[in-house]
Amino acid sequence: MSVLKETAKLKTENISSLVATGAGYDLLRYYTLPDFLGKEAPYLLYFMGKNIARETKLETFDELYDFYQYMGWGELKLVKEKKRATTFHLYGHIVEKRLTQNIFPVDFRLECGFLSEILSRLTNDTYECMEEILQKDRIIEITATKA
C-alpha cells in the first residue's frame, strides 16, 4: 500500500493543486491504455473510475461536481431525477475538445464508473452508469440506474 493511501483519501482540496495538461492525459487515456488493455479497455476504465471513487472522500453532491472540474473531466450537472434513474449532463470546454478532435475515439467510461461508485456512497443505493454522446449539443448524458 502506498504512503498516500495510508495517510489520506483524495479530496477536492488536495487535488486542486495538481497541474495536468489535457493533451498528455488524453494521449494516455485514449491512445496508450487501449493499446495495452485491448478490447477490454472500456470495461477496465469503468472499474478504474470506481476504484478512484473508493479512494476519495466526497460527502456532498457539490463536492462531486467540484471533483469533476478539478479532474479535468468537465462540468457535471444533475438534470433529471426519477424513481429508478438519475440523469446527469457532462459538458464544458474539455468535453467539447474531446468530442471534436479527430485523432482517436473517445469514451467516458472512467467518469461513469466514478459516478456510479460515488452515487452509491451518497445515496446508499447501488448504481450503474451509462453514457450517451449527444454530439449535436456536445454534451455527454450519463444515466445512473439503480441496480
Side-chain angles (χ1 to χ4, degrees):
M1 182 177 285
S2 74
V3 174
L4 175 63
K5 286 186 178 182
E6 290 177 6
T7 59
K9 294 277 188 182
L10 295 172
K11 296 186 273 187
T12 53
E13 299 91 55
N14 54 13
I15 64 160
S16 64
S17 63
L18 298 176
V19 176
T21 61
Y25 172 79
D26 284 352
L27 281 174
L28 286 172
R29 178 176 176 177
Y30 296 120
Y31 188 74
T32 306
L33 274 177
D35 190 40
F36 285 122
L37 302 175
K39 65 182 179 181
E40 301 297 319
Y43 305 106
L44 294 172
L45 283 166
Y46 186 86
F47 287 104
M48 287 170 65
K50 290 177 82 66
N51 190 53
I52 292 168
R54 290 183 193 113
E55 297 300 324
T56 62
K57 184 180 177 184
L58 303 179
E59 297 173 354
T60 68
F61 279 90
D62 286 337
E63 289 177 335
L64 170 64
Y65 303 144
D66 289 344
F67 194 87
Y68 267 71
Q69 287 185 309
Y70 288 132
M71 290 297 292
W73 292 344
E75 295 182 48
L76 185 68
K77 179 181 178 182
L78 174 68
V79 293
K80 186 181 348 175
E81 279 187 282
K82 292 184 177 179
K83 186 176 183 178
R84 306 257 328 132
T86 305
T87 304
F88 294 86
H89 280 173
L90 185 61
Y91 61 97
H93 178 71
I94 291 169
V95 172
E96 287 183 30
K97 292 290 275 184
R98 286 192 182 131
L99 292 176
T100 58
Q101 61 77 29
N102 292 317
I103 303 169
F104 34 72
V106 297
D107 64 51
F108 296 84
R109 301 307 300 147
L110 183 77
E111 293 86 342
C112 284
F114 184 89
L115 183 59
S116 72
E117 188 69 24
I118 291 296
L119 286 176
S120 296
R121 183 184 319 151
L122 293 176
T123 65
N124 293 317
D125 283 315
T126 302
Y127 284 88
E128 292 299 326
C129 293
M130 290 298 298
E131 83 270 21
E132 179 181 352
I133 298 173
L134 306 178
Q135 190 68 43
K136 179 182 158 200
D137 298 323
R138 295 185 178 155
I139 291 174
I140 308 308
E141 187 168 271
I142 301 174
T143 303
T145 307
K146 288 183 185 179

